[in-house]
Amino acid sequence: MTAIAEPPVAPVAPVEVVRNPGHGESFTAHMVSAEWSEETGWTALDLVPLADLTIHPGMIGLHYGQVAFEGLKAHRRMDGAMGVFRPRDHAARFQRSCRRLAIPELPEETFVEALDLLISADQGHLSDDPSHSIYIRPIIFATDTSLMLRPSRTYRFLLMAFVAGGFFGEDVESVSVWISRQFVRAFPGGTGDVKIAGNYAPSFLAQRAAEAAGCAQAVWLDAHERRYVEEMGGMNMFLVRGTGADAQVITPQLTGTLLPGVTRRTILALAERLGHSVAEEKLTVDQWREECASGSITEVFACGTAAVVTPVGRVVDGDSGWTIGDEGRPGPVTLSLRQALIGLHHGETPDPEGWLHLVR
Ligand SMILES: *Cc1c(COP(=O)(O)O)cnc(C)c1O
């Protein structure tokens, strides 16, 4: 069991409140650090100022990508308390990602203690703008100095955070997405279902092509048949069939090449709570296009910790494309799910599952 440093007792003064957070660069003042070796296991967590690292150029993590990470958010509730959304689910996925890369797992309790340490120290950076949040980034990387192709025998865990902006309320804009026909994100037996550093650099060329086509994100198809729709960029996707109370909420089935998003799982539960039927299906691009044309599919959205719920208005596929629903405008089911999720984040809607962890 890892010994834990005492969290600061008094709330830290609101130093340097971030007003314009930007996109992933407004880091908070501290990070939490621990190290692992075969002899000692995980050391105690250390809360230290966020600072440059000194690493050897021959570090295994740098060369062979033995690096796993997570992404989760803390929000401020109306009563001022900080709530982290579903940290234990993120801890479990972090363990799964580590196992896949032969990295020692971090105990769930240690993961949660690290969050508590960092958020209680750095919550003063968060303004009271409810659309802002603290995005938390845990990472574990291999630190052995060796260029042998083997798993490292030492590791470093770091947990850092940045203040994230975002939209709030009903004025949400739809995005266009671009179908990646040349590049795939994941393949059977690979690492598409875990969050590891090596999954992301290979997606950058497709992301660039999507942007060149005027789109916000690439849509990933299955690697084998190149027919089934899997994900969008670093987000899971949802479709709505029909309208009103009878609308069905659908998401691509987890086939082993999709990343099982915590937001995805949350949206499935929220949709049921709102009275919709839900389904996990394999859906082809052709079916997607035809069902949009026939009016069967009425809404499409992407979801993830960073994106929350983002409506999709148009799909570009090579030289052609199609528009979704009412001229691509955000649909009512999308918006109600988005509101329900944001309500949960801020502790404003019932939380029977106890998904919101209040920072100690
Ligand atoms: C992180 C991620 C998601 C979303 O997962 P959440 O747990 O909802 O944040 C979806 N797809 C990919 C590829 C991801 O890396």
Side-chain angles (χ1 to χ4, degrees):
M1 186 60 214
T2 310
I4 308 295
E6 278 298 311
V9 268
V12 173
V15 285
E16 286 185 68
V17 173
V18 179
R19 300 281 167 204
N20 301 300
H23 306 278
E25 279 139 39
S26 298
F27 286 96
T28 66
H30 294 92
M31 61 184 181
V32 176
S33 171
E35 285 167 42
W36 186 94
S37 71
E38 280 169 357
E39 303 78 54
T40 62
W42 287 107
T43 61
L45 296 173
D46 229 353
L47 179 73
V48 294
L50 184 81
D52 291 353
L53 306 174
T54 302
I55 58 164
H56 190 282
M59 187 183 83
I60 286 186
L62 193 57
H63 290 260
Y64 304 134
Q66 205 189 3
V67 182
F69 69 92
E70 264 304 318
L72 65 169
K73 272 183 179 170
H75 295 87
R76 186 175 283 126
R77 297 197 316 179
M78 294 305 256
D79 65 3
M82 294 296 293
V84 182
F85 196 60
R86 303 191 70 166
R88 292 179 188 279
D89 297 273
H90 287 276
R93 189 171 65 192
F94 198 34
Q95 292 182 332
R96 230 167 29 78
S97 302
C98 285
R99 278 202 296 278
R100 180 64 181 83
L101 294 189
I103 296 175
E105 294 165 28
L106 188 78
E108 184 181 301
E109 281 312 315
T110 312
F111 185 93
V112 175
E113 295 281 0
L115 297 172
D116 285 347
L117 270 177
L118 190 72
I119 299 302
S120 58
D122 283 357
Q123 59 178 283
H125 292 290
L126 185 63
S127 75
D128 50 16
D129 181 334
S131 77
H132 292 181
S133 57
I134 296 183
Y135 181 96
I136 304 159
R137 166 54 56 82
I139 186 169
I140 295 181
F141 54 94
T143 50
D144 272 12
T145 299
S146 169
L147 294 185
M148 279 284 287
L149 269 177
R150 60 156 177 85
S152 184
R153 295 181 189 117
T154 59
Y155 295 87
R156 181 93 181 259
F157 164 69
L158 293 175
L159 186 125
M160 68 204 81
F162 61 82
V163 180
F167 298 99
F168 195 67
E170 300 286 50
D171 57 329
V172 194
E173 281 186 28
S174 296
V175 299
S176 301
V177 295
W178 176 87
I179 297 183
S180 174
R181 294 280 182 180
Q182 186 186 357
F183 302 113
V184 294
R185 191 190 80 88
F187 43 87
T191 55
D193 62 342
V194 289
K195 234 171 162 68
I196 63 163
N199 284 347
Y200 298 89
S203 75
F204 290 166
L205 269 185
Q207 174 64 23
R208 219 187 239 174
E211 284 164 19
C215 296
Q217 291 293 338
V219 176
W220 302 114
L221 303 183
D222 75 287
H224 188 54
E225 297 186 58
R226 306 281 177 109
R227 291 170 67 214
Y228 297 101
V229 184
E230 297 199 326
E231 297 196 57
M232 288 175 176
M235 299 174 279
N236 292 116
M237 77 175 264
F238 275 85
L239 308 139
V240 178
R241 275 206 190 101
T243 53
D246 293 334
Q248 194 187 18
V249 175
I250 294 141
T251 193
Q253 192 182 314
L254 297 178
T255 56
T257 50
L258 280 75
L259 195 284
V262 174
T263 317
R264 176 186 180 277
R265 218 166 354 132
T266 306
I267 293 285
L268 284 171
L270 287 177
E272 279 194 319
R273 247 182 244 170
L274 293 177
H276 298 291
S277 62
V278 301
E280 300 176 58
E281 285 182 11
K282 287 181 81 172
L283 182 96
T284 65
V285 180
D286 289 345
Q287 198 186 343
W288 185 12
R289 180 197 283 254
E290 282 155 21
E291 286 200 48
C292 285
S294 73
S296 164
I297 291 175
T298 51
E299 304 178 32
V300 176
F301 63 89
C303 72
T305 295
V308 191
V309 167
T310 300
V312 175
R314 188 163 171 78
V315 185
V316 175
D317 187 12
D319 295 331
S320 67
W322 64 95
T323 299
I324 293 151
D326 178 16
E327 293 177 10
R329 277 191 278 271
V333 176
T334 303
L335 292 177
S336 67
L337 286 168
R338 189 172 186 280
Q339 277 314 114
L341 180 61
I342 289 170
L344 261 181
H345 288 161
H346 293 269
E348 286 158 12
T349 37
D351 179 20
E353 321 272 355
W355 283 332
L356 203 62
H357 165 81
L358 292 189
V359 171
R360 288 169 263 202

